[in-house]
Amino acid sequence: MAEITAFERRKLEKVLGMGDGYVLDFSDRTYAEFFLDFRVDIDAPEYRVGGGSKAKRMRTFWEIAPNHTVGKVLDGLIAYGLQIDRLGDSNPALVDDCRKIAQRLLSDQPVADMEALTAIADERDFEVVAEHVREAIEKNQPEGALDRLHTFVNKFIRVTCEPHGITISRDKPLHSVFGEYVKALRASGHLESAMTERILRSSISVLEAFNDVRNNKSLAHDNPILNYDESLLIFNHVASSIRFIKSLEARIKAKSLAQKADEPLWDETIPF
């Protein structure tokens, strides 16, 4: 349930023009299309328990969706309303108040580094599994997507390790591949502190334990799934690690390109 006070609801309803059951200038079709951009099926039965009008479905959406999802939708609605000049009340102070409500809700994200969980290769299955992982976070249901997070991590580490000359095979476990990656980083001088190396090495045993979670505590098989709090901890740890690795790999690539740019285009030892 989104944390919106009764006073805030009145402000939002006024700005979105919800007094007569409408929301801005949306038809039923465009309303559904707008919400689909935020991975929400506003036509689903759970949003119609309070009535089928657009305004009633919006109120139900506020009742059952998590803060971050509601914040994203509200932010989008306000931007759209300003663009078409059709806000129910365009008083600048009121619109600004509603924007602040949206931003406050947006700041309540269960996984801090969620934006790091994106595909890094042009592969359809990689993109799909990344989208499923982010959707689970946005719905605040990490326990239901541990198996997909495990698949995402496998794909991410494979794509990341290949440029470092690390052999990838189906028989080599994920934690072994990552261990070779950490060794390669150290050998190439890409890690500046022993503490960073130690943190990355600790992730080797974490990834080994992730295999057990995936096989015995996720929807990959007919198992009782892991509880919400521990699932959220796993998501946050994985997302934080991936954010760091993406940043590190970008720095390595930039350094390599700079070195190539400094190389002479000819061999200065050739006497002509």
Side-chain angles (χ1 to χ4, degrees):
M1 175 181 177
E3 297 172 350
I4 307 175
T5 67
F7 184 51
E8 289 175 331
R9 284 171 180 264
R10 287 195 291 273
K11 288 183 177 182
L12 291 168
E13 291 195 12
K14 193 171 184 181
V15 164
L16 297 177
M18 294 169 55
D20 296 320
Y22 295 97
V23 174
L24 299 177
D25 69 339
F26 288 110
S27 65
D28 282 336
R29 179 183 60 81
T30 58
Y31 195 54
E33 290 173 348
F34 178 87
F35 271 89
L36 284 177
D37 285 342
F38 299 92
R39 299 188 181 90
V40 176
D41 180 7
I42 200 63
D43 288 331
E46 60 263 33
Y47 298 116
R48 293 180 174 273
V49 294
S53 74
K54 288 178 281 292
K56 288 180 178 178
R57 280 183 283 160
M58 177 68 76
R59 296 183 187 104
T60 304
F61 169 68
W62 294 346
E63 288 289 337
I64 64 178
N67 283 342
H68 184 73
T69 301
V70 172
K72 285 205 305 181
V73 170
L74 288 176
D75 192 56
L77 285 169
I78 294 167
Y80 172 70
L82 288 170
Q83 179 183 346
I84 64 172
D85 195 23
R86 286 288 297 271
L87 292 178
D89 188 326
S90 57
N91 180 296
L94 183 59
V95 173
D96 189 52
D97 283 349
C98 290
R99 276 178 165 163
K100 289 177 181 177
I101 295 168
Q103 291 302 313
R104 174 176 59 78
L105 296 170
L106 267 170
S107 67
D108 184 20
Q109 182 167 288
V111 176
D113 292 305
M114 182 183 77
E115 300 307 321
L117 300 176
T118 55
I120 57 172
D122 189 16
E123 299 177 9
R124 177 58 181 162
D125 55 344
F126 198 173
E127 293 170 355
V128 168
V129 76
E131 183 177 347
H132 286 173
V133 167
R134 292 195 304 275
E135 183 178 359
I137 296 170
E138 289 171 355
K139 292 182 177 179
N140 204 18
Q141 298 173 343
E143 66 272 42
L146 288 171
D147 57 325
R148 282 160 287 172
L149 180 65
H150 186 274
T151 301
F152 174 87
V153 173
N154 268 282
K155 291 180 177 295
F156 176 83
I157 290 178
R158 173 179 58 79
V159 173
T160 301
C161 288
E162 284 176 347
H164 293 271
I166 298 169
T167 303
I168 311 295
S169 69
R170 296 182 66 89
D171 298 328
K172 187 184 293 186
L174 179 62
H175 62 279
S176 296
V177 175
F178 191 75
E180 291 184 35
Y181 173 66
V182 177
K183 285 182 180 179
L185 291 176
R186 182 187 61 184
S188 301
H190 295 310
L191 302 179
E192 296 182 4
S193 74
M195 184 173 182
T196 301
E197 181 182 349
R198 181 167 295 187
I199 291 171
L200 289 175
R201 285 195 171 279
S202 72
S203 294
I204 298 171
S205 58
V206 169
L207 289 172
E208 185 175 13
F210 197 6
N211 291 328
D212 178 71
V213 169
R214 184 263 180 192
N215 291 328
N216 300 304
K217 292 287 185 179
S218 81
L219 294 176
H221 302 291
D222 186 16
N223 299 314
I225 62 175
L226 191 64
N227 66 74
Y228 169 84
D229 291 319
E230 291 186 45
S231 299
L232 191 58
L233 176 64
I234 291 171
F235 261 82
N236 272 291
H237 177 85
V238 168
S240 177
S241 298
I242 288 176
R243 181 200 56 76
F244 170 76
I245 292 169
K246 279 187 171 182
S247 177
L248 176 63
E249 287 294 321
R251 180 156 50 89
I252 292 171
K253 184 177 181 180
K255 184 178 179 180
S256 175
L257 291 173
Q259 289 173 342
K260 288 180 179 179
D262 290 337
E263 292 176 356
L265 298 177
W266 61 87
D267 189 344
E268 295 179 347
T269 63
I270 299 176
F272 57 82

